[in-house]
Amino acid sequence: MSVQATALLIAGSPSEQSRSAALLDAVEQRLLRHKGVAVERLNIRELPAPSLLLADWNHPALVKAIAQVAKAQAIVVSTPVYKAAYSGVLKVFLDLLSQTALKDKTVLPLATGGSPHHMLALDYALRPVLQALSARHILPGVYAVDAQVPQAADKSYSVGPEVAARLDESVGRLLQEGLRMPATAGFEPVPFSRVRCSV
């Protein structure tokens, strides 16, 4: 019986509808095409704010959220960029996690912002925190500016074709490197019948 791989999608926006949530939606759609992957979602804004701010680790909602992180093989973190940094909501949650919370996990960071200049927030603000949480492998992030995730008349957001292509590539890498790791490491085993020796 095969064990299903688990990916946890963490939404770090304080808003219910946001461009960063649209990126996460697009990743979720791509992951759900693979039957061997179980996808869970964690919307940090839905966690109790007082418990988050006061680091109440015993609150049932926080216990469940931390357990979701522990169970997942791969993590996708999505955040809006404010003032060249990831969201405060995401920071408060990441501060709750232990120093080894992301050990042995592959992480895909996603972010949205109003200017291309803010894309460095992925590498200079978010990536160091993910490394400090002992992430095994952090994939190259996907950053989108507002124009690449347009808003429709009904206020919903959609991912433009350029970002969609980048997400295709990133999800492919996440599946290969984070969710479909080979059972053995090192060189491929060679049967004795294939061994050749010369003297």
Side-chain angles (χ1 to χ4, degrees):
M1 180 177 177
S2 61
V3 177
Q4 204 171 31
T6 303
L8 177 63
L9 313 184
I10 300 178
S13 174
S15 304
E16 182 177 0
Q17 287 191 322
S18 66
R19 288 180 169 88
S20 62
L23 291 187
L24 211 57
D25 292 341
V27 168
E28 184 171 11
Q29 291 166 8
R30 286 158 173 76
L31 288 174
L32 288 174
R33 294 173 191 161
H34 299 268
K35 294 180 180 179
V37 180
V39 180
E40 294 186 2
R41 188 144 175 168
L42 173 58
N43 297 313
I44 298 174
R45 66 175 196 83
E46 295 177 358
L47 296 175
S51 298
L52 269 176
L53 292 172
L54 298 175
D56 180 8
W57 286 280
N58 294 319
H59 192 286
L62 298 191
V63 170
K64 180 183 176 182
I66 293 170
Q68 283 182 284
V69 173
K71 184 177 74 170
Q73 289 175 253
I75 306 281
V76 183
V77 181
S78 188
T79 178
V81 173
Y82 300 122
K83 299 178 181 174
Y86 56 95
S87 73
V89 172
L90 179 58
K91 174 172 173 47
V92 172
F93 179 71
L94 294 179
D95 285 348
L96 286 179
L97 301 178
S98 72
Q99 207 165 358
T100 58
L102 301 181
K103 185 179 180 182
D104 299 325
K105 302 182 193 301
T106 297
V107 183
L108 171 61
L110 311 172
T112 58
S115 164
H117 301 295
H118 291 156
M119 75 182 301
L120 294 177
L122 276 175
D123 287 330
Y124 291 103
L126 184 55
R127 181 176 286 268
V129 176
L130 299 175
Q131 289 173 332
L133 294 172
S134 305
R136 179 182 64 82
H137 183 33
I138 304 172
L139 297 174
V142 175
Y143 178 86
V145 296
D146 291 353
Q148 294 173 317
V149 190
Q151 188 177 40
D154 64 356
K155 303 298 184 183
S156 65
Y157 295 98
S158 61
V159 173
E162 181 185 346
V163 175
R166 287 160 52 202
L167 289 176
D168 286 339
E169 181 179 350
S170 294
V171 170
R173 293 188 66 177
L174 184 69
L175 287 165
Q176 182 180 17
E177 299 176 29
L179 294 170
R180 293 184 176 176
M181 299 295 292
T184 57
F187 296 103
E188 177 188 0
V190 178
F192 184 76
S193 61
R194 286 172 51 192
V195 175
R196 297 290 182 266
C197 180
S198 61
V199 290

